[in-house]
Amino acid sequence: MTQVKEYPTELLEIWNDAKQLRTKYYDDYLTAHKGGGLRWAGGAWSFSAIPAGLGKDVYSITGEPHGATIAFFKDFTAKCHEAVEAAGFPRTLCAYMRNYWGSILLDKYILADGTVVDDHPAPDFIWQDHICCSHGKWYQVARWLEEKKGKKVPMYCVDVSVGYSLDQPLEEYKINYIVEQLNDGIEWLEKTTGRTYSDKLLCEAVWNEVKATRLWAEICTLNQHVPAPLDEKSMYSLYVMGTLMKHRPECVAFYEKLKAEVEDRVKRGIAAVANERFRVITDTQPPWGFLKIFREMEKYGVVSLGSLYTYGLIGMWKYRPDGTWAPKELPPRKPKTREEAVKMIVEWTVDRPEWAHFYVPEAKTKMILSIVKQWKVDAVLLHYNRGCEGLSVHIAENRHGLLDAGVPVFPFEGNMGDEREFDFPGTLARLTAFFESMGLKKLRD
Amino acid sequence: MIDEVFETFREWIDNRHEYAKAWKERTENKVIGYFCTYVPEEMLYAANILPVRILGSHEPPTVTEPYIFAMFCHLCRDCLAQGLKGRFDYIDGIIEGQSCLHLRQAFNAWRLHIPTDFAYYIHVPHGIQNPHAIPYLTQELAKFRKALEEWVGKKITDEDLDRGIKKLNRNRELTRKVYAYRKLDNPKITGLEAMEMVLSSQMVDKEEHSKLLEKLLQELPNRNLDRNPGVRLMIIGSEDDDRVFMKNVEALGATFVVDEHCTGSRYIWDDVVSNEDRVLAIASRYVKRIPCPSKDWPEFTRVKHSVKLAKDFNVQGALVIQNKFCDPHGIEIPPLREALRSIGVQTYPLEFDVTVPWGQFRTRVEAFLETLTGLEELF
């Protein structure tokens, strides 16, 4: 076996905090009604700061992370898919969406630790946004399924499909289109829930969200260090807080604590992978049922530093005048009024990096190339993800762009949420051949 | 005479490229390719541009794999294949009006890999059920108008827009009049003929097409199809220009009396209602039109419309087709089937690809038709 430098490693101290926070999130949603609270359902990208103005006892369940949790527990996933297919839906649809619908159809709810409980908790309302073909439709059908069970769920969905601009601000009329929908949405929330809306809580939530999503970008930036303090498999358990509760103070506190810990790891040279010698990034969601592939990569001394997905799904970034890709600067101050808060969250959100590729493949390629350069990446593993058309759209163009720039690329096909569409042994065999073509030998079994 | 009209529609489809090339040579104007019916053709006609819809050829895909991941629908891959094979080498530009991710990908791959003078993406809103969609699209179309003017080097006046609106409205109205003859107990045209009528209108000058429709409408009252209409079917779903499938099904003892496709009724159902602000009028039409399901939320308005069509055209059964990987249509299959079932219209789902397995489909469609007509005659 080849001898390579070995870096010190340590478990993350914050690991238990992450587990507890995530567990509490699913429990809070489940038990919200016991304390007179409200619960809503929507996507991880929905403007979650807006319903926060209804009170501190308002809890959400975001669909994609919930779909991913189901995907991780393959027995339950199989049951969900069977139920959805039996109901007549095609198996080619978004895998998260099918997991989510399956959960409704089975009338089961999965907790963070994989415990499946009876009675799927219907939301009091749906609060969604729409940029992918499936976003609005997902909850339209969720509502239809709930109605068949006797529960009428009101739904509000914000259209954000206004395009993307990498280098200059979006036109004002596009921003206003979203702002106006959110203003209407606030009125709709008041009418739907019968609660009085608090602009103060809204301002707090918006400020929490901009801080949390910048903090996550700052944490990802620390992975530019060699050795990388975090590996992507661990980052999945950390970035998820932003997908669940980006507007909540707990999320800000969690990322502040995490940032301090990762900074300390960098200072002390603590590595995520002891034998790090080859740095890769991936793209799109991983096949959640097969995260062990990252451990297989480590046997070659390969560390996956993250991806545009892990960095930019929730983290907010912007190009600086010097051309580097960096955490987006916070607005000058916390919003004080509803008008300021709504405008701020829209202007903040339209720069979301993971919205770029929906419209402009070159923008995504540019961001990936920035990561390659700034994070000292040796190769890119592109997951052609059959489970998510939104994040796979234009992926073939990104492959071209990376190859043209001289970056080694390993494309592999799979599915984030449907294990029937991921060939683990086959992918591993091809991946190891790719690593060998990069001059790597296996360091350990 | 009528047969000649339908033969012309057929020829226009089969020789779409030759038609457009000849048109371009004759008029010395530009031809533009568009991917989706959310492109406001009114504005293109106003600029004296011939819009031609880019559709596939139903040949096995061989050239698109490096550019579009094969989990996207066959339509977007087949459209791109036409460009990569140089079949649209005469067009001066491409336009897409936002609909689904699939066609957006075909648009972008075309823009990046096939030299073209003008490539424009209109961000047609998805939230068509919200009140801000029309003012938003109005601004988006004003921007498009300006881009077109710069490209063609000519101002597009309100009079020009009126001309474009009139041309499109007239064609839609005439087509709807033909559709009305499909409500009869013995429809005056087959489903295949209807499909070819609408499809050809997406490929040729609307003016010329409308003249032919007028001739057709003069003759149709006297037409008697020498065939038993059999089971009255509806076909609903993703983009569909599979003429062979239509012909084969209608040879099994059935007639498609109506469709809910963007290559059929959805394309012609709604007119532009005049307004002093012409761009607002056009924007209103594209927001209020019968929607593609990608834009149809939170209410299922297209499903309700499909139910109405089924009633109005006295449909006995419906084939619900989904282009494989077409999420917007795939998502709506169970709600759509349930809604049709609620009015006594039985449905059968079929998954389409670039080519369809007719051997299997024949058995399945025959079985479906038998369930609609009863099994007595088998014994």
Side-chain angles (χ1 to χ4, degrees):
Chain A
M1 291 289 179
T2 314
Q3 289 296 311
V4 294
K5 183 175 178 180
E6 192 153 322
Y7 298 105
T9 60
E10 281 177 13
L11 294 176
L12 280 166
E13 285 178 19
I14 205 168
W15 199 251
N16 277 337
D17 290 18
K19 282 177 83 168
Q20 283 168 12
L21 199 52
R22 192 163 155 266
T23 301
K24 185 173 179 303
Y25 173 83
Y26 284 102
D27 288 347
D28 281 347
Y29 178 81
L30 186 63
T31 59
H33 286 171
K34 284 183 185 164
L38 291 173
R39 55 191 185 204
W40 62 268
W45 280 341
S46 60
F47 290 90
S48 55
I50 304 292
L54 291 172
K56 290 187 175 175
D57 57 348
V58 177
Y59 302 96
S60 64
I61 183 165
T62 49
E64 296 89 346
H66 189 53
T69 300
I70 292 171
F72 186 75
F73 298 100
K74 290 190 263 187
D75 288 347
F76 187 56
T77 319
K79 287 176 188 162
C80 287
H81 290 160
E82 191 180 321
V84 170
E85 285 156 23
F89 293 99
R91 64 180 281 182
T92 51
L93 302 179
C94 165
Y96 284 168
M97 184 169 74
R98 286 185 288 129
N99 288 352
Y100 189 94
W101 291 346
S103 180
I104 298 175
L105 284 161
L106 295 169
D107 206 13
K108 305 276 185 194
Y109 180 66
I110 194 164
L111 298 168
D113 65 354
T115 305
V116 177
V117 297
D118 288 334
D119 302 326
H120 184 271
D124 298 307
F125 61 90
I126 288 165
W127 178 259
Q128 172 63 318
D129 70 345
H130 184 99
I131 193 168
C132 168
C133 284
S134 300
H135 281 158
K137 307 299 287 181
W138 173 330
Y139 286 94
Q140 182 183 34
V141 168
R143 187 167 78 140
W144 179 72
L145 294 173
E146 294 287 4
E147 193 166 351
K148 286 161 79 70
K149 286 159 61 179
K151 167 95 181 173
K152 285 201 174 213
V153 182
M155 172 175 168
Y156 194 88
C157 185
V158 180
D159 177 18
V160 295
S161 59
V162 295
Y164 191 87
S165 178
L166 193 61
D167 303 318
Q168 47 194 331
L170 270 181
E171 293 101 321
E172 201 60 20
Y173 74 89
K174 296 193 175 200
I175 299 286
N176 287 341
Y177 174 53
I178 305 173
V179 167
E180 284 162 347
Q181 290 177 72
L182 290 180
N183 283 330
D184 286 0
I186 291 173
E187 285 177 23
W188 180 88
L189 286 169
E190 282 190 305
K191 197 173 153 194
T192 300
T193 63
R195 288 193 174 193
T196 305
Y197 194 81
S198 162
D199 291 346
K200 186 170 177 283
L201 288 177
L202 167 71
C203 293
E204 291 288 342
V206 166
W207 195 239
N208 284 334
E209 181 168 332
V210 297
K211 283 196 294 182
T213 52
R214 178 185 155 91
L215 274 166
W216 176 247
E218 288 174 336
I219 292 161
C220 295
T221 306
L222 294 168
N223 246 18
Q224 293 177 357
H225 194 265
V226 179
L230 296 171
D231 66 293
E232 190 171 24
K233 184 173 181 296
S234 304
M235 292 173 92
Y236 290 140
S237 301
L238 307 171
Y239 90 112
V240 72
M241 301 312 162
T243 70
L244 301 175
M245 54 180 99
K246 57 189 184 298
H247 63 284
R248 291 186 75 97
E250 307 93 286
C251 190
V252 177
F254 176 79
Y255 283 146
E256 280 171 343
K257 192 173 173 186
L258 174 63
K259 186 183 163 200
E261 184 179 348
V262 180
E263 281 172 339
D264 180 58
R265 284 169 77 95
V266 168
K267 204 182 297 172
R268 294 189 294 117
I270 304 299
V273 173
N275 296 317
E276 174 186 321
R277 59 172 174 161
F278 193 83
R279 294 160 70 91
V280 301
I281 55 172
T282 67
D283 186 45
T284 87
Q285 308 90 324
W288 290 109
F290 300 92
L291 293 183
K292 61 186 176 185
I293 201 159
F294 288 99
R295 295 291 172 250
E296 293 295 325
M297 284 158 53
E298 289 171 10
K299 293 174 183 172
Y300 286 79
V302 175
V303 59
S304 182
L305 305 165
S307 57
L308 182 64
Y309 164 73
T310 39
Y311 296 177
L313 185 81
I314 288 299
M316 294 303 299
W317 305 76
K318 199 77 180 163
Y319 276 97
R320 285 183 177 152
D322 67 1
T324 56
W325 196 61
K328 186 175 173 178
E329 290 299 325
L330 286 177
R333 63 167 174 79
K334 186 177 166 181
K336 289 178 180 167
T337 64
R338 179 187 298 189
E339 192 183 357
E340 281 181 10
V342 171
K343 188 93 187 281
M344 181 183 288
I345 200 61
V346 174
E347 287 178 336
W348 183 257
T349 305
V350 292
D351 281 333
R352 177 168 284 143
E354 278 287 72
W355 283 6
H357 70 271
F358 277 93
Y359 290 97
V360 193
E362 302 98 307
K364 177 174 173 182
T365 303
K366 181 178 174 181
M367 286 188 275
I368 295 179
L369 286 173
S370 296
I371 297 174
V372 166
K373 189 177 168 192
Q374 293 173 228
W375 274 254
K376 305 165 201 74
V377 171
D378 298 299
V380 178
L381 316 181
L382 288 179
H383 181 198
Y384 279 46
N385 182 355
R386 298 176 75 96
C388 178
E389 68 172 42
L391 295 197
S392 293
V393 70
H394 298 127
I395 197 167
E397 295 297 348
N398 304 131
R399 177 179 164 272
H400 282 297
L402 293 170
L403 289 174
D404 288 348
V407 178
V409 177
F410 175 77
F412 66 102
E413 195 164 320
N415 189 313
M416 64 192 179
D418 188 340
E419 69 159 321
R420 297 169 297 184
E421 293 195 314
F422 185 64
D423 172 11
F424 180 74
T427 305
L428 190 58
R430 289 181 52 238
L431 185 61
T432 53
F434 174 73
F435 288 152
E436 284 168 14
S437 77
M438 295 283 106
L440 299 173
K441 293 267 184 276
K442 203 170 191 180
L443 299 172
R444 59 184 169 82
D445 288 319
Chain B
M1 168 60 196
I2 280 194
D3 289 346
E4 281 172 26
V5 170
F6 285 114
E7 186 55 38
T8 305
F9 290 148
R10 212 163 293 135
E11 278 174 15
W12 278 342
I13 298 169
D14 293 338
N15 303 309
R16 64 189 85 167
H17 303 303
E18 289 73 15
Y19 175 93
K21 282 176 197 169
W23 184 93
K24 188 175 173 177
E25 199 178 320
R26 190 173 71 243
T27 64
E28 297 184 348
N29 286 326
K30 293 181 190 295
V31 177
I32 211 149
Y34 70 96
F35 294 88
C36 177
T37 56
Y38 273 98
V39 169
E41 293 179 70
E42 290 85 349
M43 299 179 77
L44 298 170
Y45 276 102
N48 294 321
I49 296 169
L50 176 68
V52 294
R53 188 168 182 188
I54 297 169
L55 291 171
S57 62
H58 295 277
E59 295 160 292
T62 54
V63 293
T64 53
E65 195 73 16
Y67 309 101
I68 300 182
F69 177 22
M71 69 162 276
F72 288 86
C73 81
H74 72 78
L75 171 69
C76 72
R77 287 179 282 134
D78 205 359
C79 286
L80 178 63
Q82 305 313 303
L84 293 170
K85 288 176 177 174
R87 290 175 180 162
F88 280 89
D89 57 0
Y90 54 88
I91 60 175
D92 300 289
I94 52 166
I95 305 184
E96 171 60 343
Q98 174 159 266
S99 53
C100 61
L101 298 180
H102 303 249
L103 286 176
R104 188 185 304 167
Q105 204 164 201
F107 168 83
N108 274 318
W110 194 302
R111 173 176 65 78
L112 290 167
H113 303 289
I114 302 165
T116 186
D117 191 35
F118 182 76
Y120 196 94
Y121 191 90
I122 305 168
H123 296 91
V124 179
H126 277 313
I128 53 159
Q129 294 180 25
N130 89 62
H132 306 290
I134 292 174
Y136 166 73
L137 182 58
T138 305
Q139 298 200 62
E140 190 67 11
L141 292 185
K143 191 172 137 189
F144 174 57
R145 179 185 191 173
K146 208 172 159 198
L148 267 184
E149 288 174 341
E150 281 172 15
W151 183 50
V152 298
K154 181 183 166 293
K155 196 98 183 137
I156 300 171
T157 64
D158 280 353
E159 290 69 36
D160 291 331
L161 289 173
D162 286 341
R163 185 167 37 82
I165 290 168
K166 197 174 160 193
K167 205 174 268 196
L168 266 288
N169 276 357
R170 178 174 167 235
N171 191 262
R172 292 176 186 127
E173 188 190 351
L174 292 169
T175 310
R176 287 197 300 273
K177 282 182 179 168
V178 177
Y179 261 60
Y181 284 100
R182 305 173 75 187
K183 291 180 179 171
L184 300 174
D185 288 344
N186 195 347
K188 298 281 185 186
I189 66 170
T190 65
L192 173 65
E193 287 170 335
M195 177 181 269
E196 290 178 333
M197 171 178 65
V198 180
L199 260 183
S200 60
S201 79
Q202 298 181 342
M203 294 162 182
V204 303
D205 190 327
K206 292 281 193 293
E207 193 71 36
E208 209 172 336
H209 194 267
S210 293
K211 281 180 188 160
L212 212 52
L213 288 175
E214 279 174 345
K215 276 188 193 171
L216 179 61
L217 283 165
Q218 281 171 9
E219 301 289 330
L220 263 187
N222 304 319
R223 189 187 202 202
N224 277 311
L225 281 177
D226 187 21
R227 64 191 288 278
N228 179 353
V231 178
R232 297 178 67 86
L233 286 180
M234 181 175 184
I235 185 161
I236 316 173
S238 308
E239 184 282 337
D240 176 22
D241 57 322
D242 196 324
R243 293 184 287 151
V244 176
F245 175 80
M246 299 292 284
K247 183 180 172 188
N248 288 346
V249 171
E250 291 193 315
L252 296 177
T255 300
F256 288 107
V257 295
V258 73
D259 69 85
E260 210 298 294
H261 280 318
C262 63
T263 44
S265 71
R266 205 184 312 145
Y267 180 64
I268 51 98
W269 216 249
D270 304 281
D271 290 334
V272 175
V273 177
S274 60
N275 187 298
E276 201 169 327
D277 181 341
R278 275 72 166 182
V279 178
L280 172 70
I282 294 169
S284 301
R285 190 265 170 189
Y286 284 87
V287 169
K288 291 179 181 170
R289 56 164 271 193
I290 304 300
C292 168
S294 66
K295 297 179 187 293
D296 199 27
W297 39 263
E299 302 303 327
F300 287 108
T301 67
R302 188 191 69 104
V303 169
K304 285 177 191 154
H305 171 70
S306 299
V307 167
K308 185 172 185 313
L309 283 180
K311 281 182 188 166
D312 291 350
F313 286 78
N314 194 21
V315 165
Q316 290 173 272
L319 293 181
V320 177
I321 69 119
Q322 179 221 7
N323 285 343
K324 189 172 185 180
F325 302 118
C326 172
D327 280 18
H329 280 278
I331 289 168
E332 284 200 355
I333 290 173
L336 174 65
R337 295 184 72 193
E338 185 182 272
L340 288 169
R341 205 162 41 239
S342 74
I343 57 160
V345 174
Q346 297 305 312
T347 61
Y348 193 79
L350 290 169
E351 184 182 83
F352 273 31
D353 211 325
V354 68
T355 57
V356 299
W358 176 245
Q360 290 177 15
F361 277 14
R362 178 187 174 120
T363 307
R364 293 163 64 184
V365 173
E366 278 178 339
F368 177 59
L369 295 176
E370 282 170 11
T371 65
L372 296 175
T373 52
L375 298 173
E376 298 82 2
E377 58 195 71
L378 289 177
F379 302 101

